[in-house]
Amino acid sequence: MILLIEMQCKDWEHDRVNAGITRLCHAAFPDEQLKLYGEQKHIEELGKLVSRHEIKFASSAIDFYDWRYDSIKCAGKYEELLLNILDKEPEAGHILLLSCNHGIVMAAANVCRIRTERKIYIITHSIMEEVCININFGQYIKQRLLAPHKITMRHCINKCMTANCSFFIYAPCYERELRGKIRRPVLEKFTFLHHPLY
């Protein structure tokens, strides 16, 4: 079984991208059962989109707050939610986190250290712009003075050192951009895909 987990987007938000990755998983592993954990309306929207292609998935609704805007403070909540899902699905060896923020990445890094038998794939999107942005030295100093304790996405990703934590990124051009910004052992666990469009 492959688990698809959406802990960030609700309702129609991100539904076409998630439909694209669902179709990709179904095409790559037609004999594997897919199960989606997400907000109820998001499950319904995704189901409508993929049903046209006779793709079926099991689902389970989860409740979560919109923690995106201070997500690092909610890493513990994401971790608890993820561990609860994994406890309910002992036979699922592969888990795809359909979108991420700082808190989700930190939670996944912690869960991978706890549950070494599970393979977690974190799907990244535009959040990688924060990692790749080129700023000059003056801007860097100003950022560090204004927010000296801010945890960056680069820091979060570099925490994902265990072998069972990998990444998918929707833009092959990022491979070059991430060199020198992400630790080499972590960067080697990135798979670069073209953006799946529904």
Side-chain angles (χ1 to χ4, degrees):
M1 177 189 286
I2 297 172
L3 290 185
L4 306 169
I5 303 175
E6 179 56 77
M7 297 189 292
Q8 180 174 229
C9 300
K10 298 183 178 186
D11 205 350
W12 55 266
E13 184 183 24
H14 223 252
D15 62 351
R16 293 188 180 272
V17 178
N18 288 348
I21 199 71
T22 302
R23 286 184 66 194
L24 190 63
C25 288
H26 177 72
F29 306 101
D31 297 328
E32 284 280 348
Q33 181 186 2
L34 300 176
K35 184 166 185 181
L36 172 66
Y37 276 82
E39 183 257 347
Q40 183 60 45
K41 288 183 181 177
H42 189 74
I43 292 170
E44 292 166 11
E45 291 299 317
L46 204 58
K48 288 178 200 171
L49 291 173
V50 300
S51 66
R52 299 175 197 162
H53 302 278
E54 298 182 5
I55 297 172
K56 294 181 180 172
F57 55 80
S59 65
S60 185
I62 52 175
D63 291 318
F64 54 89
Y65 295 105
D66 187 347
W67 297 319
R68 270 178 285 198
Y69 303 105
D70 212 357
S71 68
I72 198 65
K73 291 181 180 175
C74 298
K77 293 178 183 178
Y78 285 120
E79 184 176 337
E80 182 180 348
L81 181 56
L82 191 50
L83 286 169
N84 285 338
I85 292 169
L86 296 184
D87 286 343
K88 292 176 187 172
E89 304 292 348
E91 71 285 354
H94 296 277
I95 297 96
L96 276 76
L97 304 182
L98 295 173
S99 64
C100 72
N101 57 38
H102 296 72
I104 289 173
V105 174
M106 289 296 279
N110 291 337
V111 169
C112 283
R113 283 192 287 274
I114 297 166
R115 302 290 170 84
T116 56
E117 76 285 1
R118 303 297 185 99
K119 182 79 174 165
I120 294 180
Y121 304 88
I122 304 167
I123 298 177
T124 64
H125 303 276
S126 59
I127 195 78
M128 297 307 288
E129 285 297 313
E130 179 189 321
V131 177
C132 292
I133 192 166
N134 290 317
I135 59 173
N136 65 37
F137 185 70
Q139 289 171 314
Y140 176 78
I141 295 298
K142 185 177 178 183
Q143 280 183 359
R144 299 321 297 162
L145 289 173
L146 293 175
H149 303 296
K150 183 181 178 198
I151 296 174
T152 65
M153 182 53 79
R154 185 184 304 192
H155 173 83
C156 296
I157 289 171
N158 280 325
K159 288 282 189 187
C160 297
M161 293 294 290
T162 59
N164 60 330
C165 188
S166 298
F167 294 86
F168 287 113
I169 183 168
Y170 292 152
C173 62
Y174 274 100
E175 186 170 11
R176 184 177 59 252
E177 294 291 324
L178 291 173
R179 287 187 200 137
K181 297 178 175 110
I182 300 296
R183 291 178 184 172
R184 185 177 302 224
V186 177
L187 189 56
E188 288 172 356
K189 298 188 298 168
F190 271 76
T191 299
F192 298 87
L193 300 173
H194 288 285
H195 202 296
L197 296 175
Y198 182 79

